[in-house]
Amino acid sequence: MADLPDLPFLVVLYVILPRLPPKVVTQCKVVCKQWLSFLSSPEFLRLHCYFMRTSVDQKIITAALRSCIVRSLDRESPNFNLPTNVHTPFNCQSYNLLFISSLDGMLCVCLKKTCELAVWNPLTHVYRKLSNSNGQGFYDLEYDSLGICIDSSYDYIIVHIKRIHSILTIWIYSMRQNSWSTIRCLEDTVYLGHTSTWSPGTLCGNSLYFTVCQGCRSGNETLLRFDVDSRMFSVIGFPNVCGQQVLGNLVNIRDELHLILHSGFYNLHVELWKLQTETWMKVFVYPHAVHKPVSLVSTIKYVNATGNCIEVDLMSGAVGQIDLSMNEITGFSNLPLYESLSTVIYHETIVSPDL
């Protein structure tokens, strides 16, 4: 146990510093060698990421025509209407980037011209390409899916679902080991065909969740769970909902998996369900039909501080907001479609892809 005179200093290290914005943490590294060592340690990074995940000031980054633009999602922030331009370190124009997933300030990016995958921290400007001469780390924009997660040993893991000629391969990339490996494939052929559409992975607890839809028809939706530590997939059923063209988007709300279920196409019937011990429970139904086209390649990020779900269409970059308290879907951001070519929501940290 620490001596009483040491307690104020420990409070600074373990209570105050982890809650500071990442830019301030970077400035604190120059205070002394002891602070530099502590602020660069895995122990501090774990603490800092924990607090940043629930921070009010989450960010949205857009790969526009001329540069990447970062905006704050905190409407109370003085910088809410002051976007920041970010230089991309890749040897390509920003409109050739596709943001697929994010975790702890790191974005998983596809370089569309070469189909290479990379992990990039826009705040620190550090990146790492994941492609190699064995053909691993290349992403098919039409058939592949991906999720990023972290295991119990605090190793960042990228799960890459790859389909080539109805052959499904599950590649696992370890950031710590800087290497790819494969795991046992799913045996059910329903997941293999070119007509099936995989969502991006949604991290909740120690699992990544993917929805798989067959031809946009009711009754052909499946939820797959990837356990990060066991490296095993399991199948979870969709809620029992009657209707045509039922589509679901996953969202992590307070570390509980939820499903926003759409029935119809333009005039939508929208419901919110929660997964409890592998059983779906209906939370509420939106009272009015919503006029909004649905994309199967949307990703939803819950913004904890405001009580809203933010939906991003991965193909067009369009952004929408679902207000859980008001039970309605509204437009969120003035991002014109001709500039919003790729968009993802993330929170800033100092975690480096070059671990």
mmCIF file of all heavy atoms in Angstrom, residues 242-283:
data_model
loop_
_atom_site.group_PDB
_atom_site.id
_atom_site.type_symbol
_atom_site.label_atom_id
_atom_site.label_comp_id
_atom_site.label_asym_id
_atom_site.label_seq_id
_atom_site.Cartn_x
_atom_site.Cartn_y
_atom_site.Cartn_z
ATOM 1 N N CYS A 242 -42.495 -10.221 -37.893
ATOM 2 C CA CYS A 242 -43.170 -10.440 -39.170
ATOM 3 C C CYS A 242 -43.109 -9.163 -39.997
ATOM 4 O O CYS A 242 -43.375 -8.076 -39.494
ATOM 5 C CB CYS A 242 -44.633 -10.843 -38.953
ATOM 6 S SG CYS A 242 -44.826 -12.419 -38.088
ATOM 7 N N GLY A 243 -42.786 -9.303 -41.254
ATOM 8 C CA GLY A 243 -42.730 -8.130 -42.121
ATOM 9 C C GLY A 243 -41.828 -8.391 -43.302
ATOM 10 O O GLY A 243 -41.060 -9.342 -43.322
ATOM 11 N N GLN A 244 -41.937 -7.545 -44.298
ATOM 12 C CA GLN A 244 -41.125 -7.678 -45.492
ATOM 13 C C GLN A 244 -39.867 -6.830 -45.371
ATOM 14 O O GLN A 244 -39.873 -5.765 -44.760
ATOM 15 C CB GLN A 244 -41.930 -7.239 -46.719
ATOM 16 C CG GLN A 244 -43.161 -8.091 -46.981
ATOM 17 C CD GLN A 244 -42.817 -9.530 -47.303
ATOM 18 O OE1 GLN A 244 -41.886 -9.793 -48.053
ATOM 19 N NE2 GLN A 244 -43.557 -10.467 -46.727
ATOM 20 N N GLN A 245 -38.776 -7.324 -45.941
ATOM 21 C CA GLN A 245 -37.521 -6.579 -46.006
ATOM 22 C C GLN A 245 -37.083 -6.084 -44.614
ATOM 23 O O GLN A 245 -36.871 -4.910 -44.372
ATOM 24 C CB GLN A 245 -37.638 -5.387 -46.956
ATOM 25 C CG GLN A 245 -37.896 -5.792 -48.396
ATOM 26 C CD GLN A 245 -38.044 -4.611 -49.312
ATOM 27 O OE1 GLN A 245 -38.660 -3.610 -48.962
ATOM 28 N NE2 GLN A 245 -37.475 -4.707 -50.502
ATOM 29 N N VAL A 246 -36.974 -7.020 -43.681
ATOM 30 C CA VAL A 246 -36.540 -6.683 -42.330
ATOM 31 C C VAL A 246 -35.019 -6.604 -42.313
ATOM 32 O O VAL A 246 -34.330 -7.552 -42.670
ATOM 33 C CB VAL A 246 -37.025 -7.730 -41.311
ATOM 34 C CG1 VAL A 246 -36.513 -7.391 -39.921
ATOM 35 C CG2 VAL A 246 -38.538 -7.798 -41.318
ATOM 36 N N LEU A 247 -34.508 -5.453 -41.925
ATOM 37 C CA LEU A 247 -33.071 -5.227 -41.864
ATOM 38 C C LEU A 247 -32.706 -4.775 -40.464
ATOM 39 O O LEU A 247 -33.489 -4.086 -39.803
ATOM 40 C CB LEU A 247 -32.641 -4.161 -42.878
ATOM 41 C CG LEU A 247 -33.077 -4.381 -44.324
ATOM 42 C CD1 LEU A 247 -32.679 -3.185 -45.170
ATOM 43 C CD2 LEU A 247 -32.465 -5.651 -44.881
ATOM 44 N N GLY A 248 -31.524 -5.148 -40.007
ATOM 45 C CA GLY A 248 -31.122 -4.768 -38.661
ATOM 46 C C GLY A 248 -29.744 -4.154 -38.619
ATOM 47 O O GLY A 248 -28.834 -4.614 -39.317
ATOM 48 N N ASN A 249 -29.601 -3.100 -37.817
ATOM 49 C CA ASN A 249 -28.304 -2.486 -37.563
ATOM 50 C C ASN A 249 -27.987 -2.597 -36.083
ATOM 51 O O ASN A 249 -28.821 -2.280 -35.231
ATOM 52 C CB ASN A 249 -28.305 -1.011 -37.983
ATOM 53 C CG ASN A 249 -28.175 -0.846 -39.481
ATOM 54 O OD1 ASN A 249 -27.505 -1.627 -40.139
ATOM 55 N ND2 ASN A 249 -28.822 0.158 -40.031
ATOM 56 N N LEU A 250 -26.770 -3.037 -35.779
ATOM 57 C CA LEU A 250 -26.357 -3.270 -34.401
ATOM 58 C C LEU A 250 -25.808 -1.993 -33.772
ATOM 59 O O LEU A 250 -25.220 -1.150 -34.446
ATOM 60 C CB LEU A 250 -25.275 -4.355 -34.355
ATOM 61 C CG LEU A 250 -25.689 -5.740 -34.869
ATOM 62 C CD1 LEU A 250 -24.473 -6.652 -34.951
ATOM 63 C CD2 LEU A 250 -26.759 -6.349 -33.965
ATOM 64 N N VAL A 251 -25.988 -1.890 -32.458
ATOM 65 C CA VAL A 251 -25.450 -0.742 -31.738
ATOM 66 C C VAL A 251 -25.148 -1.169 -30.301
ATOM 67 O O VAL A 251 -25.913 -1.922 -29.687
ATOM 68 C CB VAL A 251 -26.422 0.459 -31.767
ATOM 69 C CG1 VAL A 251 -27.782 0.085 -31.238
ATOM 70 C CG2 VAL A 251 -25.865 1.636 -30.990
ATOM 71 N N ASN A 252 -24.014 -0.719 -29.788
ATOM 72 C CA ASN A 252 -23.608 -0.974 -28.413
ATOM 73 C C ASN A 252 -24.095 0.191 -27.547
ATOM 74 O O ASN A 252 -23.628 1.317 -27.695
ATOM 75 C CB ASN A 252 -22.082 -1.106 -28.346
ATOM 76 C CG ASN A 252 -21.586 -1.444 -26.960
ATOM 77 O OD1 ASN A 252 -22.254 -1.201 -25.952
ATOM 78 N ND2 ASN A 252 -20.395 -2.003 -26.885
ATOM 79 N N ILE A 253 -25.043 -0.069 -26.653
ATOM 80 C CA ILE A 253 -25.565 0.954 -25.752
ATOM 81 C C ILE A 253 -25.229 0.535 -24.322
ATOM 82 O O ILE A 253 -25.743 -0.471 -23.833
ATOM 83 C CB ILE A 253 -27.083 1.135 -25.905
ATOM 84 C CG1 ILE A 253 -27.435 1.529 -27.346
ATOM 85 C CG2 ILE A 253 -27.606 2.191 -24.940
ATOM 86 C CD1 ILE A 253 -28.914 1.672 -27.598
ATOM 87 N N ARG A 254 -24.345 1.292 -23.694
ATOM 88 C CA ARG A 254 -23.916 1.017 -22.319
ATOM 89 C C ARG A 254 -23.433 -0.422 -22.173
ATOM 90 O O ARG A 254 -23.761 -1.124 -21.212
ATOM 91 C CB ARG A 254 -25.039 1.330 -21.326
ATOM 92 C CG ARG A 254 -25.507 2.784 -21.379
ATOM 93 C CD ARG A 254 -26.563 3.074 -20.313
ATOM 94 N NE ARG A 254 -27.090 4.424 -20.492
ATOM 95 C CZ ARG A 254 -28.177 4.715 -21.199
ATOM 96 N NH1 ARG A 254 -28.848 3.739 -21.798
ATOM 97 N NH2 ARG A 254 -28.601 5.955 -21.314
ATOM 98 N N ASP A 255 -22.655 -0.852 -23.144
ATOM 99 C CA ASP A 255 -22.065 -2.190 -23.189
ATOM 100 C C ASP A 255 -23.116 -3.301 -23.213
ATOM 101 O O ASP A 255 -22.879 -4.407 -22.733
ATOM 102 C CB ASP A 255 -21.100 -2.403 -22.023
ATOM 103 C CG ASP A 255 -19.971 -3.367 -22.413
ATOM 104 O OD1 ASP A 255 -19.635 -3.436 -23.614
ATOM 105 O OD2 ASP A 255 -19.443 -4.064 -21.524
ATOM 106 N N GLU A 256 -24.274 -3.015 -23.792
ATOM 107 C CA GLU A 256 -25.284 -4.031 -24.064
ATOM 108 C C GLU A 256 -25.620 -3.977 -25.548
ATOM 109 O O GLU A 256 -25.786 -2.898 -26.117
ATOM 110 C CB GLU A 256 -26.552 -3.802 -23.237
ATOM 111 C CG GLU A 256 -26.374 -4.032 -21.752
ATOM 112 C CD GLU A 256 -27.675 -3.871 -20.985
ATOM 113 O OE1 GLU A 256 -28.302 -2.798 -21.141
ATOM 114 O OE2 GLU A 256 -28.064 -4.787 -20.247
ATOM 115 N N LEU A 257 -25.724 -5.148 -26.166
ATOM 116 C CA LEU A 257 -25.965 -5.195 -27.604
ATOM 117 C C LEU A 257 -27.427 -4.907 -27.902
ATOM 118 O O LEU A 257 -28.331 -5.539 -27.352
ATOM 119 C CB LEU A 257 -25.587 -6.558 -28.169
ATOM 120 C CG LEU A 257 -25.611 -6.627 -29.702
ATOM 121 C CD1 LEU A 257 -24.458 -5.819 -30.296
ATOM 122 C CD2 LEU A 257 -25.558 -8.067 -30.185
ATOM 123 N N HIS A 258 -27.657 -3.943 -28.786
ATOM 124 C CA HIS A 258 -29.004 -3.587 -29.240
ATOM 125 C C HIS A 258 -29.075 -3.752 -30.756
ATOM 126 O O HIS A 258 -28.056 -3.711 -31.456
ATOM 127 C CB HIS A 258 -29.355 -2.146 -28.868
ATOM 128 C CG HIS A 258 -29.616 -1.942 -27.406
ATOM 129 N ND1 HIS A 258 -28.630 -2.079 -26.454
ATOM 130 C CD2 HIS A 258 -30.753 -1.604 -26.736
ATOM 131 C CE1 HIS A 258 -29.147 -1.838 -25.252
ATOM 132 N NE2 HIS A 258 -30.424 -1.542 -25.405
ATOM 133 N N LEU A 259 -30.293 -3.903 -31.231
ATOM 134 C CA LEU A 259 -30.552 -4.054 -32.657
ATOM 135 C C LEU A 259 -31.657 -3.084 -33.057
ATOM 136 O O LEU A 259 -32.754 -3.109 -32.479
ATOM 137 C CB LEU A 259 -30.983 -5.488 -32.973
ATOM 138 C CG LEU A 259 -31.296 -5.826 -34.433
ATOM 139 C CD1 LEU A 259 -30.023 -5.809 -35.267
ATOM 140 C CD2 LEU A 259 -31.975 -7.195 -34.527
ATOM 141 N N ILE A 260 -31.343 -2.197 -33.993
ATOM 142 C CA ILE A 260 -32.357 -1.312 -34.557
ATOM 143 C C ILE A 260 -32.903 -1.995 -35.806
ATOM 144 O O ILE A 260 -32.184 -2.194 -36.778
ATOM 145 C CB ILE A 260 -31.781 0.067 -34.873
ATOM 146 C CG1 ILE A 260 -31.290 0.734 -33.580
ATOM 147 C CG2 ILE A 260 -32.815 0.955 -35.560
ATOM 148 C CD1 ILE A 260 -30.657 2.081 -33.783
ATOM 149 N N LEU A 261 -34.158 -2.383 -35.733
ATOM 150 C CA LEU A 261 -34.766 -3.223 -36.763
ATOM 151 C C LEU A 261 -35.669 -2.378 -37.648
ATOM 152 O O LEU A 261 -36.545 -1.651 -37.161
ATOM 153 C CB LEU A 261 -35.582 -4.336 -36.104
ATOM 154 C CG LEU A 261 -35.707 -5.653 -36.856
ATOM 155 C CD1 LEU A 261 -34.341 -6.250 -37.134
ATOM 156 C CD2 LEU A 261 -36.537 -6.625 -36.025
ATOM 157 N N HIS A 262 -35.445 -2.454 -38.977
ATOM 158 C CA HIS A 262 -36.241 -1.707 -39.950
ATOM 159 C C HIS A 262 -37.101 -2.686 -40.743
ATOM 160 O O HIS A 262 -36.599 -3.698 -41.224
ATOM 161 C CB HIS A 262 -35.351 -0.951 -40.944
ATOM 162 C CG HIS A 262 -34.277 -0.122 -40.309
ATOM 163 N ND1 HIS A 262 -33.053 -0.657 -39.927
ATOM 164 C CD2 HIS A 262 -34.228 1.191 -40.007
ATOM 165 C CE1 HIS A 262 -32.307 0.304 -39.420
ATOM 166 N NE2 HIS A 262 -32.988 1.432 -39.443
ATOM 167 N N SER A 263 -38.374 -2.394 -40.881
ATOM 168 C CA SER A 263 -39.269 -3.146 -41.764
ATOM 169 C C SER A 263 -39.754 -2.209 -42.863
ATOM 170 O O SER A 263 -40.182 -1.089 -42.587
ATOM 171 C CB SER A 263 -40.474 -3.694 -40.989
ATOM 172 O OG SER A 263 -40.058 -4.554 -39.954
ATOM 173 N N GLY A 264 -39.716 -2.678 -44.095
ATOM 174 C CA GLY A 264 -40.070 -1.821 -45.220
ATOM 175 C C GLY A 264 -38.811 -1.227 -45.827
ATOM 176 O O GLY A 264 -37.697 -1.616 -45.508
ATOM 177 N N PHE A 265 -39.002 -0.241 -46.707
ATOM 178 C CA PHE A 265 -37.823 0.362 -47.349
ATOM 179 C C PHE A 265 -37.822 1.872 -47.190
ATOM 180 O O PHE A 265 -36.928 2.439 -46.598
ATOM 181 C CB PHE A 265 -37.766 -0.014 -48.826
ATOM 182 C CG PHE A 265 -36.478 0.403 -49.474
ATOM 183 C CD1 PHE A 265 -35.301 -0.264 -49.206
ATOM 184 C CD2 PHE A 265 -36.450 1.493 -50.340
ATOM 185 C CE1 PHE A 265 -34.110 0.133 -49.792
ATOM 186 C CE2 PHE A 265 -35.264 1.884 -50.932
ATOM 187 C CZ PHE A 265 -34.099 1.204 -50.654
ATOM 188 N N TYR A 266 -38.827 2.566 -47.695
ATOM 189 C CA TYR A 266 -38.850 4.023 -47.582
ATOM 190 C C TYR A 266 -39.657 4.482 -46.364
ATOM 191 O O TYR A 266 -39.222 5.286 -45.571
ATOM 192 C CB TYR A 266 -39.372 4.664 -48.860
ATOM 193 C CG TYR A 266 -38.339 4.646 -49.963
ATOM 194 C CD1 TYR A 266 -38.421 3.736 -51.005
ATOM 195 C CD2 TYR A 266 -37.257 5.526 -49.941
ATOM 196 C CE1 TYR A 266 -37.472 3.706 -52.012
ATOM 197 C CE2 TYR A 266 -36.295 5.497 -50.941
ATOM 198 C CZ TYR A 266 -36.405 4.592 -51.967
ATOM 199 O OH TYR A 266 -35.466 4.551 -52.957
ATOM 200 N N ASN A 267 -40.891 3.978 -46.227
ATOM 201 C CA ASN A 267 -41.674 4.299 -45.041
ATOM 202 C C ASN A 267 -41.437 3.197 -44.015
ATOM 203 O O ASN A 267 -42.073 2.147 -44.041
ATOM 204 C CB ASN A 267 -43.156 4.423 -45.388
ATOM 205 C CG ASN A 267 -43.411 5.640 -46.266
ATOM 206 O OD1 ASN A 267 -42.923 6.716 -45.976
ATOM 207 N ND2 ASN A 267 -44.169 5.442 -47.333
ATOM 208 N N LEU A 268 -40.522 3.443 -43.132
ATOM 209 C CA LEU A 268 -40.003 2.394 -42.273
ATOM 210 C C LEU A 268 -40.788 2.250 -40.974
ATOM 211 O O LEU A 268 -41.211 3.227 -40.374
ATOM 212 C CB LEU A 268 -38.539 2.678 -41.918
ATOM 213 C CG LEU A 268 -37.553 2.759 -43.078
ATOM 214 C CD1 LEU A 268 -36.175 3.041 -42.548
ATOM 215 C CD2 LEU A 268 -37.564 1.466 -43.862
ATOM 216 N N HIS A 269 -40.927 1.005 -40.554
ATOM 217 C CA HIS A 269 -41.359 0.683 -39.197
ATOM 218 C C HIS A 269 -40.092 0.320 -38.433
ATOM 219 O O HIS A 269 -39.374 -0.597 -38.796
ATOM 220 C CB HIS A 269 -42.342 -0.492 -39.224
ATOM 221 C CG HIS A 269 -42.763 -0.950 -37.862
ATOM 222 N ND1 HIS A 269 -43.661 -0.253 -37.091
ATOM 223 C CD2 HIS A 269 -42.388 -2.035 -37.136
ATOM 224 C CE1 HIS A 269 -43.840 -0.892 -35.945
ATOM 225 N NE2 HIS A 269 -43.082 -1.980 -35.953
ATOM 226 N N VAL A 270 -39.796 1.061 -37.375
ATOM 227 C CA VAL A 270 -38.510 0.935 -36.690
ATOM 228 C C VAL A 270 -38.734 0.499 -35.250
ATOM 229 O O VAL A 270 -39.561 1.073 -34.531
ATOM 230 C CB VAL A 270 -37.728 2.260 -36.721
ATOM 231 C CG1 VAL A 270 -36.359 2.098 -36.056
ATOM 232 C CG2 VAL A 270 -37.550 2.732 -38.167
ATOM 233 N N GLU A 271 -37.987 -0.532 -34.835
ATOM 234 C CA GLU A 271 -38.051 -1.040 -33.469
ATOM 235 C C GLU A 271 -36.647 -1.131 -32.889
ATOM 236 O O GLU A 271 -35.666 -1.313 -33.628
ATOM 237 C CB GLU A 271 -38.697 -2.427 -33.427
ATOM 238 C CG GLU A 271 -40.107 -2.479 -33.984
ATOM 239 C CD GLU A 271 -40.661 -3.893 -34.019
ATOM 240 O OE1 GLU A 271 -39.893 -4.846 -33.737
ATOM 241 O OE2 GLU A 271 -41.850 -4.036 -34.319
ATOM 242 N N LEU A 272 -36.544 -1.039 -31.582
ATOM 243 C CA LEU A 272 -35.277 -1.204 -30.873
ATOM 244 C C LEU A 272 -35.376 -2.426 -29.968
ATOM 245 O O LEU A 272 -36.286 -2.529 -29.135
ATOM 246 C CB LEU A 272 -34.943 0.038 -30.042
ATOM 247 C CG LEU A 272 -33.621 -0.040 -29.252
ATOM 248 C CD1 LEU A 272 -32.428 -0.060 -30.212
ATOM 249 C CD2 LEU A 272 -33.491 1.141 -28.289
ATOM 250 N N TRP A 273 -34.424 -3.381 -30.145
ATOM 251 C CA TRP A 273 -34.388 -4.607 -29.364
ATOM 252 C C TRP A 273 -33.064 -4.686 -28.605
ATOM 253 O O TRP A 273 -32.050 -4.139 -29.041
ATOM 254 C CB TRP A 273 -34.518 -5.830 -30.270
ATOM 255 C CG TRP A 273 -35.845 -5.966 -30.950
ATOM 256 C CD1 TRP A 273 -36.329 -5.198 -31.964
ATOM 257 C CD2 TRP A 273 -36.854 -6.941 -30.665
ATOM 258 N NE1 TRP A 273 -37.578 -5.618 -32.342
ATOM 259 C CE2 TRP A 273 -37.926 -6.685 -31.569
ATOM 260 C CE3 TRP A 273 -36.955 -7.991 -29.762
ATOM 261 C CZ2 TRP A 273 -39.072 -7.467 -31.576
ATOM 262 C CZ3 TRP A 273 -38.103 -8.765 -29.778
ATOM 263 C CH2 TRP A 273 -39.149 -8.502 -30.666
ATOM 264 N N LYS A 274 -33.084 -5.400 -27.484
ATOM 265 C CA LYS A 274 -31.871 -5.589 -26.673
ATOM 266 C C LYS A 274 -31.646 -7.082 -26.445
ATOM 267 O O LYS A 274 -32.584 -7.827 -26.173
ATOM 268 C CB LYS A 274 -32.007 -4.860 -25.339
ATOM 269 C CG LYS A 274 -30.810 -5.043 -24.417
ATOM 270 C CD LYS A 274 -30.860 -4.084 -23.219
ATOM 271 C CE LYS A 274 -32.006 -4.401 -22.302
ATOM 272 N NZ LYS A 274 -31.968 -3.571 -21.062
ATOM 273 N N LEU A 275 -30.374 -7.505 -26.550
ATOM 274 C CA LEU A 275 -30.018 -8.905 -26.345
ATOM 275 C C LEU A 275 -29.698 -9.139 -24.871
ATOM 276 O O LEU A 275 -28.781 -8.519 -24.327
ATOM 277 C CB LEU A 275 -28.821 -9.279 -27.217
ATOM 278 C CG LEU A 275 -28.423 -10.756 -27.217
ATOM 279 C CD1 LEU A 275 -29.534 -11.618 -27.827
ATOM 280 C CD2 LEU A 275 -27.116 -10.966 -27.978
ATOM 281 N N GLN A 276 -30.446 -10.043 -24.248
ATOM 282 C CA GLN A 276 -30.216 -10.395 -22.855
ATOM 283 C C GLN A 276 -30.115 -11.909 -22.738
ATOM 284 O O GLN A 276 -31.105 -12.626 -22.949
ATOM 285 C CB GLN A 276 -31.349 -9.878 -21.952
ATOM 286 C CG GLN A 276 -31.351 -8.371 -21.776
ATOM 287 C CD GLN A 276 -32.346 -7.920 -20.734
ATOM 288 O OE1 GLN A 276 -33.441 -8.475 -20.609
ATOM 289 N NE2 GLN A 276 -31.983 -6.900 -19.970
ATOM 290 N N THR A 277 -28.901 -12.386 -22.429
ATOM 291 C CA THR A 277 -28.646 -13.824 -22.279
ATOM 292 C C THR A 277 -29.152 -14.595 -23.497
ATOM 293 O O THR A 277 -29.920 -15.572 -23.380
ATOM 294 C CB THR A 277 -29.299 -14.379 -20.993
ATOM 295 O OG1 THR A 277 -29.103 -13.452 -19.922
ATOM 296 C CG2 THR A 277 -28.655 -15.705 -20.600
ATOM 297 N N GLU A 278 -28.769 -14.087 -24.671
ATOM 298 C CA GLU A 278 -29.097 -14.705 -25.962
ATOM 299 C C GLU A 278 -30.599 -14.718 -26.243
ATOM 300 O O GLU A 278 -31.070 -15.490 -27.091
ATOM 301 C CB GLU A 278 -28.508 -16.106 -26.065
ATOM 302 C CG GLU A 278 -26.992 -16.118 -25.923
ATOM 303 C CD GLU A 278 -26.369 -17.420 -26.368
ATOM 304 O OE1 GLU A 278 -27.101 -18.265 -26.908
ATOM 305 O OE2 GLU A 278 -25.141 -17.563 -26.183
ATOM 306 N N THR A 279 -31.357 -13.867 -25.560
ATOM 307 C CA THR A 279 -32.780 -13.715 -25.829
ATOM 308 C C THR A 279 -33.060 -12.248 -26.136
ATOM 309 O O THR A 279 -32.608 -11.354 -25.411
ATOM 310 C CB THR A 279 -33.627 -14.155 -24.622
ATOM 311 O OG1 THR A 279 -33.360 -15.525 -24.334
ATOM 312 C CG2 THR A 279 -35.115 -13.984 -24.918
ATOM 313 N N TRP A 280 -33.807 -11.992 -27.219
ATOM 314 C CA TRP A 280 -34.099 -10.616 -27.613
ATOM 315 C C TRP A 280 -35.311 -10.076 -26.856
ATOM 316 O O TRP A 280 -36.328 -10.756 -26.734
ATOM 317 C CB TRP A 280 -34.374 -10.537 -29.116
ATOM 318 C CG TRP A 280 -33.154 -10.709 -29.952
ATOM 319 C CD1 TRP A 280 -32.793 -11.810 -30.660
ATOM 320 C CD2 TRP A 280 -32.116 -9.746 -30.156
ATOM 321 N NE1 TRP A 280 -31.599 -11.607 -31.295
ATOM 322 C CE2 TRP A 280 -31.156 -10.349 -31.006
ATOM 323 C CE3 TRP A 280 -31.896 -8.455 -29.712
ATOM 324 C CZ2 TRP A 280 -30.004 -9.683 -31.414
ATOM 325 C CZ3 TRP A 280 -30.753 -7.790 -30.114
ATOM 326 C CH2 TRP A 280 -29.821 -8.401 -30.955
ATOM 327 N N MET A 281 -35.185 -8.858 -26.354
ATOM 328 C CA MET A 281 -36.272 -8.180 -25.660
ATOM 329 C C MET A 281 -36.543 -6.859 -26.376
ATOM 330 O O MET A 281 -35.628 -6.069 -26.601
ATOM 331 C CB MET A 281 -35.893 -7.907 -24.201
ATOM 332 C CG MET A 281 -36.985 -7.207 -23.407
ATOM 333 S SD MET A 281 -36.435 -6.776 -21.724
ATOM 334 C CE MET A 281 -35.340 -5.403 -22.102
ATOM 335 N N LYS A 282 -37.809 -6.608 -26.715
ATOM 336 C CA LYS A 282 -38.160 -5.368 -27.388
ATOM 337 C C LYS A 282 -38.123 -4.216 -26.378
ATOM 338 O O LYS A 282 -38.751 -4.267 -25.322
ATOM 339 C CB LYS A 282 -39.540 -5.464 -28.030
ATOM 340 C CG LYS A 282 -39.907 -4.239 -28.873
ATOM 341 C CD LYS A 282 -41.331 -4.314 -29.404
ATOM 342 C CE LYS A 282 -41.483 -5.453 -30.392
ATOM 343 N NZ LYS A 282 -42.835 -5.436 -31.042
ATOM 344 N N VAL A 283 -37.378 -3.151 -26.727
ATOM 345 C CA VAL A 283 -37.256 -1.992 -25.858
ATOM 346 C C VAL A 283 -38.374 -1.002 -26.152
ATOM 347 O O VAL A 283 -39.114 -0.597 -25.268
ATOM 348 C CB VAL A 283 -35.883 -1.322 -26.017
ATOM 349 C CG1 VAL A 283 -35.762 -0.092 -25.126
ATOM 350 C CG2 VAL A 283 -34.762 -2.311 -25.707
#
